Amino acid sequence: MTDVVKNKSDLIRSEAEARRLYTAPPKTYTGKVGLEVEMALYRPGKTRPDIPDAKTLTDLHAELKRKGHDAQLEASGVLEYASPPENLDRVGHLVAKVKTDMADFEQASAQRGYARAPMSIMPTTTVEQALDNKISRERLEASLQVIAEVLDPSLIRVPLLTTGVQTSFSPKTMDELFNMTYRGYGLTPLLIAAMNSSPPYVENDPKRLNHHLRGDFYNAYGGSGGLSQAFLKATDTESFIRNHIKAVFDAPMFFAYDHDGSLIRSTKDDVLTFRKLCDRGLNTLSNYELAETFLYNDIKICNLRDETGAVVGKRVEVRAADSGAHQPVSTLLLTAALVPDGKTAEKFDALLKAYGFTGDPATDAPLLQQARHDAVYHEGRFMDIPFGKDAAGKPRSLREFAADVAGLIVEHYAAEKALAPDVSRLADILLTGNCDARVMAAQYRDLGELTAALQQPSAAATLAAKRAPAHKPH
């Protein structure tokens, strides 16, 4: 959960004035990648898995912080791991660091009887169960109240039930920020499909589902979720930044900060926006930064902070991947190779053009929207869905695109022998279409079978069993 400093009293009087906030970080902060992983924890219960209560998670969080880890608390039953930033030419080192750090998280959890779920959503956890075990904090309580009473009540499932993996990139220029945003959205349908670890059941409901759960839940945010309309209407860097600033001014805010730092909640009759705050003298930098955090698009434009917490520029966060057993490393490998400017990114740009994407968001909006929709509402086809179009305007396939991406990934990491097993596993998913969700859907006939598997003490190891790659990097 993103925290914002409350006492930044400088005023943002207009959209034009907000433009000064959108700058690349100093050189010492650019060309880096970071990883965040949300981990759902569980243990066998009486009739279905239990999730940790607030005290257990708070104690676990404190222990990991004492050990020097950047651990964060999510709403309920979930810990978040954040890696240190690493140079893009040292992704192999970051992968090794992530594995070691996450093993510490898992060991500390295991000492309290909990395992990390190898899926993005625990199928047996209900909203009520999550609320009973939530970690009460001012921002969370305000957000949950406004979601339930003012906005779409179904949104409550996003913070309470879902987990994902995000990678962050620091751009050298604002043009690179635009380029990375474009590539991130071009990659999003594949990230949704290939990193899909959604179970076919949710909220302990025996009804079998055939869509990507997180992608569907995020649609309840409307224009503040999924594909950014600010991006889809852009034609270049400056138009994107202007559109994004306008979106920040008009984004529905769960709450805002009063002059004394207290919270003012949105109500049914008065849904707050930064534009409204301008008329009330509350158009502070703190509230502008807060308003930007209420945009939950698949690609987020966020503040980049230094070691002291001071904002030093903007970053790009790629958010579409599910959490799961391999997803942290697989997502890191995919995005670090394809999203930031570089030789492999140039090849990815050319590949997108071969699938009908011109590089102009406004022109490509229909293709991008259709591709995301098909990845989320796959109807049991998982990765066997349309993607893009050929020169004659006929649909191409995501499996074909995934195979092309696999070639880029294998080539990009060819010299890093220590990464070969991880690259092989990722290539296997891309080439076969056997994402975790597809394997899970085939393995368990109903919710009872999946629940019984999770109730076994070795469930996490069983469900996250290492796949033997069918394809080796060439």
Side-chain angles (χ1 to χ4, degrees):
M1 178 170 289
T2 304
D3 289 320
V4 173
V5 177
K6 298 180 180 181
N7 60 357
K8 295 183 179 181
S9 58
D10 294 351
L11 297 181
I12 304 296
R13 298 177 178 86
S14 66
E15 294 177 29
E17 194 170 289
R19 176 63 181 83
R20 65 178 171 80
L21 304 175
Y22 293 84
T23 60
K27 189 175 181 180
T28 53
Y29 294 95
T30 61
K32 297 182 184 293
V33 58
L35 178 75
E36 296 179 1
V37 182
E38 296 167 347
M39 310 176 198
L41 304 180
Y42 77 99
R43 67 183 180 187
K46 290 184 178 180
T47 60
R48 58 186 168 110
D50 289 332
I51 62 174
D53 60 24
K55 184 179 186 306
T56 298
L57 266 185
T58 302
D59 291 347
L60 181 56
H61 171 259
E63 176 186 336
L64 291 166
K65 295 285 279 189
R66 285 195 300 271
K67 291 181 177 179
H69 292 295
D70 189 353
Q72 303 295 328
L73 289 167
E74 291 298 309
S76 179
V78 173
L79 271 179
E80 179 178 281
Y81 161 76
S83 81
E86 184 57 271
N87 292 333
L88 284 164
D89 59 0
R90 289 172 53 87
V91 170
H93 292 82
L94 181 56
V95 167
K97 170 71 171 169
V98 166
K99 289 180 178 179
T100 299
D101 288 350
M102 290 187 62
D104 285 349
F105 274 62
E106 292 176 350
Q107 182 179 18
S109 301
Q111 289 172 350
R112 290 166 171 78
Y114 291 90
R116 177 166 73 96
M119 55 190 68
S120 63
I121 296 173
M122 283 295 294
T124 54
T125 301
T126 63
V127 166
E128 290 75 17
Q129 184 182 12
L131 287 171
D132 287 343
N133 292 280
K134 75 178 185 297
I135 301 169
S136 183
R137 287 158 289 167
E138 183 182 51
R139 172 166 178 157
L140 176 64
E141 294 295 342
S143 297
L144 294 180
Q145 177 187 343
V146 173
I147 286 172
E149 298 178 5
V150 182
L151 304 177
D152 184 342
S154 69
L155 276 176
I156 204 168
R157 295 179 296 181
V158 174
L160 291 180
L161 301 180
T162 70
T163 60
V165 173
Q166 299 96 36
T167 48
S168 289
F169 300 94
S170 47
K172 295 181 285 294
T173 65
M174 295 310 286
D175 285 338
E176 187 183 15
L177 178 140
F178 174 72
N179 294 340
M180 292 197 296
T181 302
Y182 184 88
R183 295 184 195 115
Y185 277 120
L187 186 62
T188 287
L190 182 59
L191 277 175
I192 291 172
M195 300 299 106
N196 185 354
S197 66
S198 291
Y201 309 97
V202 69
E203 294 189 72
N204 210 38
D205 187 338
K207 180 182 178 182
R208 193 174 180 91
L209 304 173
N210 284 311
H211 62 262
H212 181 260
L213 296 177
R214 286 178 64 247
D216 177 58
F217 290 170
Y218 269 89
N219 283 343
Y221 281 111
S224 296
L227 283 158
S228 161
Q229 294 301 308
F231 171 76
L232 293 178
K233 295 175 182 177
T235 56
D236 57 18
T237 302
E238 283 304 315
S239 62
F240 173 49
I241 295 172
R242 288 195 305 270
N243 293 348
H244 175 76
I245 291 170
K246 184 179 185 301
V248 175
F249 266 68
D250 294 324
M253 300 175 68
F254 298 166
F255 58 86
Y257 297 127
D258 207 341
H259 293 296
D260 61 359
S262 61
L263 296 192
I264 306 170
R265 291 173 169 82
S266 283
T267 66
K268 286 184 179 180
D269 297 325
D270 184 19
V271 177
L272 299 174
T273 66
F274 188 77
R275 196 176 301 282
K276 289 182 180 180
L277 297 180
C278 291
D279 297 329
R280 306 178 189 184
L282 293 174
N283 49 319
T284 61
L285 180 56
S286 286
N287 275 328
Y288 184 88
E289 292 181 353
L290 180 64
E292 191 170 49
T293 70
F294 291 121
L295 294 175
Y296 297 96
N297 302 119
D298 296 331
I299 310 296
K300 285 193 75 168
I301 308 303
C302 311
N303 282 331
L304 179 66
R305 301 179 185 276
D306 65 14
E307 295 79 5
T308 69
V311 176
V312 295
K314 292 294 180 179
R315 61 185 172 92
V316 174
E317 187 175 86
V318 182
R319 297 165 45 83
D322 279 352
S323 190
H326 69 85
Q327 281 78 0
V329 171
S330 294
T331 301
L332 177 58
L333 293 177
L334 260 178
T335 57
L338 303 178
V339 172
D341 285 357
K343 291 183 178 179
T344 303
E346 291 173 2
K347 295 175 183 178
F348 184 57
D349 291 341
L351 180 61
L352 286 170
K353 288 183 178 179
Y355 281 79
F357 298 90
T358 67
D360 176 69
T363 301
D364 297 337
L367 271 185
L368 289 166
Q369 290 171 316
Q370 188 64 51
R372 186 188 189 280
H373 177 275
D374 291 343
V376 172
Y377 302 104
H378 55 75
E379 297 181 351
R381 294 173 294 168
F382 297 96
M383 292 178 65
D384 294 316
I385 55 176
F387 179 81
K389 62 183 180 180
D390 62 18
K394 295 181 180 179
R396 299 192 71 177
S397 75
L398 187 67
R399 282 287 299 279
E400 184 183 11
F401 180 70
D404 290 334
V405 167
L408 295 181
I409 296 300
V410 168
E411 180 183 5
H412 184 85
Y413 295 108
E416 301 206 48
K417 303 305 179 185
L419 289 176
D422 299 303
V423 173
S424 291
R425 178 175 55 193
L426 174 57
D428 180 64
I429 295 170
L430 296 174
L431 292 169
T432 65
N434 288 328
C435 62
D436 290 4
R438 170 168 254 160
V439 173
M440 201 185 323
Q443 187 172 2
Y444 301 104
R445 292 177 298 178
D446 54 40
L447 177 62
E449 285 191 359
L450 182 52
T451 301
L454 288 167
Q455 286 286 83
Q456 299 302 312
S458 61
T462 301
L463 291 169
K466 295 180 180 179
R467 62 179 77 226
H471 302 271
K472 297 180 180 180
H474 298 291

